[in-house]
């Protein structure tokens, strides 16, 4: 593949638009996008027609509005371009109206009570800030998805709203620093994606993987990740072929796949793209996950995107690298070299620190799913407590500001923290910390709590909105200030004083940190069911409303959807466990017992001691009885009713989940005493070392 030539060849990008659109239409399109004003129908018709011609030349026969409902994945409904003509032939047609708006039946998408089924109509609206592309011979048009009455039913709508809010408030602050050029501030994101690859045939034999994406049973294999021999290890040929194919597929789709490597756990890998604007990054991450699955399948592999496909070894996350950039290309989280830039940087830094402290619960909620519960707080993942890692130097600077004392840079170059002489510091001195959920990494923050299978939209909606809020509060003060510099420094100092409790540079995996965090009054929502109710707290509802990101009705409906999703996930897992335990494990163990008893009997016939068979049978029988009891128990708790969604969520986490754990414990013990050829499905050892 000639990468430079083929990169983005399946995308109706700026280059394609420039060559295919009349200059006036192209210009007015660009103007509309920049100012956020709607396109005229005449222009839309011209663009639609050019898009169609382009797509048909590349073999496309259909188009679809590609959207991101609350399921967390993408949705598409294809329509062909054909339009029959009188002479029995067809012409290929695509109108501006079809480009701009679609009206899919929305009744089967989660709406959290927003839309009764009798008002089933929803509509999709073109997001011209994310390019159309071709996938499966279908022209895909990225769209937002709303109810007939205008409520957001998707993840893109609030994401775009949150980007607008952030831009608005950040521009207010920039103006105060004398920046008159920037007209837009965009949050940028590069999301590193972790995943597992296992052999497809083994995958298909594991109904837990097929139904739930994670193994519900499986004893610890003799070898896991103890030797740390997988991380950055040389890539096996079959995996390499997959990675090359995946990169090429993504490049054609304009996804800038950049980094690939083996991760810590056996069979675990990572892909990272070059960062881009938040909404494109979100679309691209969805495409990346879809292509990972498809390309894996082509290579006889199964790609597991679940946060914890295997118990006891590392799970997968999605490191959401986040920063702010002006349309002039200035990164606002770049410390910079001049004091003036530093002051501006420090204000933006303070806004992020304050946002994360005040809305730590909201960030926790934004990553709360049943899958991620297995990961947050487990050994390799950031804890469920939100804190910020700033690194030694930045922390020292912040402390010196707080105490109005002089800051001495590492190189012993004295620097004063005066009113208008803020310190300069080199970016490279920020050290690395792998245990922090929210780490400053030089010129961006890395939010590491996002789950590997989740859309990154939720985390970024939260991040954009909470930072917009703090910038708005700062701007309110500074716009009224009589002495800007004085107020600015007072503001930064006060903010740091008030919110430094969220800064933690130590090891987040220790028990001491959990205690320390409690002393500092930080939240520790261990489970999704504990975290989600916080979403609808008054201050959060007000926050989303103030910035026009989500209306109170939308917030409540999203809460319902998230909690229901959690409940359904737990229940599907529980029913799958019951099914596998009863129909696969119990019978397999019975067959093995029978075999052992047969051997014991034969031994007796020739007057040999029937050992060790009898002892093994005894062990197995005890466990088999326990397995039976625990399946009965699980079924019993599963069939209870709860009075409300919230209560049901708590019940799933407090009662159903422990019953599942208990059942698993017994099944895993049985696996360890059952002969390999009797065990009904591939084991951890088989799967993790299968490729
Ligand atoms: P690290 O090794 O610390 O993870 P990398 O340079 O490899 O850092 O970057 C990781 C991810 O962060 C990449 O996806 C990269 O594109 C992204 N990234 C870099 N700069 C920015 C930025 N300004 N905004 C958002 N993401 C960024
Ligand atoms: Mg990283």
């Amino acid at each position: 593949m000639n990468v430079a030539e083929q990169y983005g060849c399946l995308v109706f990008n700026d280059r394609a638009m420039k060559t295919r659109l009349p200059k006036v239409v192209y210009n007015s399109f660009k103007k509309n996008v920049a100012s956020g004003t709607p396109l005229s129908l005449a222009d839309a018709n011209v663009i639609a027609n050019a898009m169609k011609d382009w797509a048909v030349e590349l073999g496309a026969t259909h188009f679809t509005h590609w959207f991101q409902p609350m399921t967390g994945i993408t949705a598409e409904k294809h329509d062909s371009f054909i339009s029959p003509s009188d002479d029995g032939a067809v012409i290929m047609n695509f109108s501006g109206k079809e480009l701009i708006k679609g009206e899919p039946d929305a009744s089967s998408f989660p709406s959290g009570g927003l839309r009764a089924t009798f008002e089933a109509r929803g509509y999709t609206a073109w997001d011209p800030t994310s390019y159309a592309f071709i996938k499966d011979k279908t022209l895909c048009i990225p769209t937002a998805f709303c109810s007939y009455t205008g409520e957001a039913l998707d993840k893109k709508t609030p994401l775009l709203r949150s980007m607008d809010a952030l831009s608005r408030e950040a521009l207010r602050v920039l103006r105060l620093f004398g920046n008159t050029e920037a007209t837009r501030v965009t949050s940028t994101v590069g999301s590193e994606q972790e995943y597992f690859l296992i052999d497809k045939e083994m995958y298909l034999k594991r109904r837990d993987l097929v139904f739930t994406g994670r193994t519900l049973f499986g004893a610890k294999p003799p070898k896991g990740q103890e030797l740390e021999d997988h991380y950055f290890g040389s890539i096996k040929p079959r995996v390499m072929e997959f990675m090359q194919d995946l990169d090429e597929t993504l490049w054609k789709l304009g996804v800038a796949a950049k980094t690939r490597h083996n991760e810590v756990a056996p069979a675990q890998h990572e892909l990272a793209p070059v960062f881009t604007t938040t909404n494109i990054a979100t679309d691209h991450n969805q495409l990346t996950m879809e292509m990972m699955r498809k390309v894996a399948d082509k290579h006889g592999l199964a790609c597991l995107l679940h946060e914890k496909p295997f118990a006891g070894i590392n799970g997968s996350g999605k490191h959401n690298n986040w920063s702010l950039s002006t349309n002039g290309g200035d990164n606002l989280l770049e410390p910079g070299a001049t004091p003036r830039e530093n002051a501006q940087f420090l204000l933006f830094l303070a806004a992020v620190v304050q946002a994360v402290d005040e809305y730590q619960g909201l960030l926790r909620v934004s990553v709360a799913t049943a899958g991620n519960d297995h990961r947050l707080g487990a050994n390799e993942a950031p804890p469920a407590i939100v804190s910020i890692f700033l690194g030694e130097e930045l922390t020292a600077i912040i402390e010196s500001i707080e105490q109005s004392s002089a800051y001495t840079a590492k190189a012993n170059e004295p620097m004063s923290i005066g009113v208008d002489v803020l310190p300069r510091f080199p970016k490279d001195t920020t050290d690395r910390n792998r245990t922090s959920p929210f780490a400053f990494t030089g010129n961006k923050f890395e939010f590491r709590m996002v789950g590997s299978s989740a859309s990154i939209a939720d985390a970024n909606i939260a991040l954009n909105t909470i930072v917009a809020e703090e910038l708005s509060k700062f701007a309110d003060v500074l716009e009224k200030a009589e002495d800007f510099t004085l107020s600015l420094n007072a503001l930064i100092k006060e903010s740091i004083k008030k919110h430094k409790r969220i800064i933690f540079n130590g090891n987040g995996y220790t028990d001491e940190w959990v205690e320390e965090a409690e002393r500092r009054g930080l939240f520790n929502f261990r489970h999704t069911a504990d975290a989600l109710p916080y979403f609808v707290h008054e201050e959060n509802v007000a926050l989303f409303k103030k910035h026009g990101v989500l209306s109170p009705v939308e917030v409540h409906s999203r809460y319902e959807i998230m909690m229901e999703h959690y409940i359904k996930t737990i229940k599907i897992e529980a029913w799958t466990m019951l099914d596998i335990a009863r129909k696969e494990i119990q019978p397999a163990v019975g067959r093995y017992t029978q075999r052992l008893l047969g051997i014991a009997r034969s031994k007796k016939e020739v007057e040999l001691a029937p050992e060790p068979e009898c002892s093994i049978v005894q062990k197995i029988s005890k466990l088999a009885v326990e397995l039976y009891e625990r399946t009965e128990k699980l079924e019993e708790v599963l069939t209870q009713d709860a009075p409300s969604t919230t209560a049901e969520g708590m019940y799933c986490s407090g009662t159903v989940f422990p019953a599942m754990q208990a059942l698993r414990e017994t099944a895993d013990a049985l696996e360890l005493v059952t002969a390999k050829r009797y065990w009904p499905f591939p084991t951890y050892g088989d799967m993790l070392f299968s490729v």
Side-chain angles (χ1 to χ4, degrees):
M1 172 175 175
N2 180 334
V3 181
E5 211 170 84
Q6 301 236 10
Y7 185 83
C9 65
L10 296 177
V11 186
F12 196 67
N13 53 22
D14 205 55
R15 198 176 45 190
M17 278 188 240
K18 240 188 218 144
T19 46
R20 290 187 173 255
L21 294 178
K23 210 169 166 138
V24 277
V25 177
Y26 173 80
N27 286 339
S28 76
F29 171 76
K30 293 298 272 187
K31 228 171 68 205
N32 282 313
V33 170
S35 61
T37 47
L39 221 59
S40 74
L41 192 60
D43 283 351
N45 277 326
V46 175
I47 296 172
N49 198 49
M51 242 185 211
K52 182 254 317 173
D53 287 344
W54 167 82
V56 169
E57 276 168 37
L58 288 164
T61 53
H62 289 68
F63 72 92
T64 181
H65 278 196
W66 185 74
F67 57 105
Q68 303 176 26
M70 295 299 295
T71 51
I73 51 174
T74 59
E76 47 192 77
K77 179 187 130 209
H78 301 182
D79 276 302
S80 72
F81 291 122
I82 65 160
S83 167
S85 53
D86 291 340
D87 59 359
V90 291
I91 50 167
M92 300 300 257
N93 218 344
F94 184 46
S95 70
K97 229 177 111 222
E98 287 171 308
L99 166 64
I100 291 175
K101 192 171 170 193
E103 294 202 11
D105 181 340
S107 57
S108 296
F109 291 107
S111 78
L114 263 187
R115 177 191 16 70
T117 27
F118 62 82
E119 190 51 280
R121 218 145 31 122
Y123 66 88
T124 48
W126 182 30
D127 167 19
T129 60
S130 181
Y131 299 131
F133 58 91
I134 296 173
K135 176 170 77 74
D136 299 329
K137 295 192 177 171
T138 302
L139 172 67
C140 299
I141 298 145
T143 52
F145 178 46
C146 300
S147 76
Y148 192 66
T149 43
E151 279 100 6
L153 294 175
D154 69 345
K155 308 224 173 203
K156 189 188 265 285
T157 307
L159 182 65
L160 292 172
R161 292 175 183 163
S162 73
M163 290 172 73
D164 283 347
L166 185 56
S167 178
R168 202 162 47 232
E169 304 304 336
L171 283 175
R172 281 176 70 195
V173 169
L174 287 183
R175 294 291 179 258
L176 291 165
F177 281 91
N179 183 327
T180 50
E181 281 139 46
T183 53
R184 175 96 189 158
V185 171
T186 313
S187 54
T188 51
V189 164
S191 64
E192 304 162 45
Q193 174 73 48
E194 292 178 336
Y195 61 96
F196 280 82
L197 281 181
I198 64 167
D199 187 80
K200 186 175 154 189
E201 290 196 2
M202 290 192 189
Y203 168 83
L204 291 173
K205 287 185 187 141
R206 297 277 318 209
R207 288 191 303 141
D208 46 2
L209 281 179
V210 173
F211 291 150
T212 73
R214 76 178 180 101
T215 53
L216 301 169
F217 297 105
K220 195 179 163 332
K223 179 183 191 290
Q225 63 192 51
E226 300 83 356
L227 298 179
E228 293 167 334
D229 50 357
H230 195 253
Y231 191 56
F232 284 10
S234 83
I235 299 164
K236 291 194 183 127
R238 212 170 145 199
V239 175
M240 198 61 229
E241 277 171 31
F242 159 85
M243 285 180 168
Q244 276 160 354
D245 196 351
L246 176 65
D247 279 344
E248 290 182 7
T249 306
L250 291 174
W251 289 337
K252 285 185 194 161
L253 287 165
V255 178
K258 174 93 176 158
T259 310
R260 58 190 190 200
H261 63 80
N262 285 351
E263 256 301 329
V264 171
Q268 193 186 27
H269 315 279
E270 180 182 302
L271 177 147
V274 177
F275 69 96
T276 174
T277 63
T278 317
N279 69 318
I280 294 178
T282 304
D283 288 355
H284 281 182
N285 183 252
Q286 289 286 1
L287 269 179
T288 301
M289 291 194 286
E290 180 179 339
M291 293 308 150
M292 279 179 166
R293 289 208 170 94
K294 282 190 173 155
V295 173
D297 195 66
K298 245 171 66 187
H299 289 258
L301 300 166
C303 174
L304 310 179
L305 291 168
H306 194 281
E307 285 73 18
K308 197 79 173 178
F310 304 99
I313 63 168
N314 277 13
S316 300
K318 194 136 42 187
H319 293 176
N320 190 81
N321 294 273
W322 180 94
S323 192
L324 291 171
S325 170
T326 66
N327 52 337
D330 291 330
N331 181 346
L332 299 174
L333 292 177
E334 175 74 56
T338 71
R340 193 180 179 78
E341 275 167 1
N342 271 351
Q344 184 184 302
F345 162 74
L346 284 172
L347 188 68
F348 277 96
L349 180 74
V352 177
V353 171
Q354 184 165 320
V356 174
D357 184 35
E358 282 189 345
Y359 294 100
Q360 27 171 314
L362 211 51
L363 286 177
R364 173 67 183 91
V365 167
S366 78
V367 297
T369 59
N372 221 8
D373 279 2
H374 299 280
R375 175 178 165 260
L376 295 180
N379 253 348
E380 88 289 358
I385 306 162
V386 177
S387 68
I388 298 183
F389 169 85
L390 282 187
E392 220 176 284
E393 181 146 34
L394 216 45
T395 306
I397 286 167
I398 283 208
E399 276 167 2
S400 68
I401 293 174
E402 190 205 345
Q403 289 147 16
S404 302
S405 61
Y407 165 71
T408 314
K410 257 193 192 152
N412 274 340
E413 182 190 321
M415 285 197 177
S416 64
I417 306 264
V419 164
D420 50 8
V421 192
L422 289 160
R424 66 169 83 176
F425 30 85
K427 125 183 192 192
D428 292 344
T429 53
T430 51
D431 28 12
R432 299 228 151 208
N433 172 310
R434 300 220 353 134
T435 66
S436 176
F438 202 93
F440 184 69
T441 50
N443 59 1
K444 61 187 189 289
F445 279 97
E446 186 169 338
F447 185 30
R448 302 192 175 121
M449 291 170 96
V450 186
S452 52
S453 70
S455 160
I456 59 170
D458 294 316
N460 289 299
I461 292 167
L463 257 174
N464 291 344
T465 311
I466 63 179
V467 175
E469 166 64 7
E470 307 307 347
L471 290 173
S472 142
K473 282 196 255 175
F474 285 178
D476 287 346
V477 174
L478 295 175
E479 280 165 0
K480 286 194 219 99
E482 275 169 23
D483 183 325
F484 174 71
T485 317
L486 220 67
S487 303
L488 170 68
N489 286 283
L491 192 66
I492 294 176
K493 190 171 162 174
E494 190 194 343
S495 169
I496 288 168
K497 229 189 193 127
K498 227 167 126 193
H499 301 286
K500 65 168 185 188
R501 63 168 187 168
I502 197 76
I503 297 167
F504 175 65
N505 293 322
N507 183 352
Y509 295 170
T510 62
D511 294 337
E512 289 83 64
W513 168 233
V514 176
E515 288 159 25
E516 166 69 18
E518 201 181 325
R519 271 195 299 278
R520 294 189 189 185
L522 302 180
F523 285 135
N524 185 5
F525 294 127
R526 284 169 197 279
H527 306 285
T528 295
D530 309 333
L532 290 182
Y534 182 72
F535 190 57
V536 290
H537 270 209
E538 225 175 296
E539 65 268 32
N540 297 329
V541 177
L543 169 82
F544 285 121
K545 185 169 174 228
K546 172 177 169 190
H547 295 283
V549 174
L550 290 169
S551 69
V553 173
E554 287 170 335
V555 171
H556 280 97
S557 75
R558 260 151 225 261
Y559 166 68
E560 287 286 319
I561 293 172
M562 290 189 288
M563 194 60 114
E564 270 170 19
H565 191 266
Y566 171 77
I567 293 164
K568 284 177 189 164
T569 305
I570 298 284
K571 288 194 166 171
I572 291 169
E573 288 183 352
W575 286 114
T576 304
M577 284 189 95
L578 278 180
D579 208 57
I580 292 176
R582 284 172 175 164
K583 294 184 187 160
E584 297 184 42
I585 299 177
Q586 195 76 263
V589 168
R591 279 192 297 275
Y592 181 46
T593 308
Q594 198 178 30
R595 172 79 185 130
L596 288 171
L597 289 175
I599 296 172
R601 249 193 313 274
S602 312
K603 280 186 172 176
K604 265 196 186 152
E605 271 167 26
V606 292
E607 286 171 24
L608 278 172
E611 285 299 341
E613 286 74 16
C614 281
S615 300
I616 301 175
V617 166
Q618 260 165 13
K619 229 183 196 170
I620 291 180
S621 301
K622 232 174 100 197
L623 285 168
V625 170
E626 196 177 83
L627 187 81
Y628 174 74
E629 287 166 358
R630 291 184 171 185
T631 46
E632 294 296 297
K633 175 77 190 162
L634 181 58
E635 178 162 15
E636 188 194 312
V637 300
L638 251 180
T639 41
Q640 305 286 320
D641 284 329
S644 68
T645 314
T646 305
E648 197 171 3
M650 297 294 181
Y651 179 78
C652 279
S653 139
T655 307
V656 179
F657 190 71
M660 289 163 60
Q661 292 290 87
L663 176 55
R664 174 177 187 148
E665 205 180 285
T666 310
D668 291 354
L670 272 166
E671 183 195 318
L672 292 175
V673 288
T674 303
K676 188 158 180 55
R677 56 182 286 246
Y678 286 88
W679 197 249
F681 40 75
T683 62
Y684 270 29
D686 297 334
M687 286 183 285
L688 289 169
F689 299 94
S690 64
V691 181

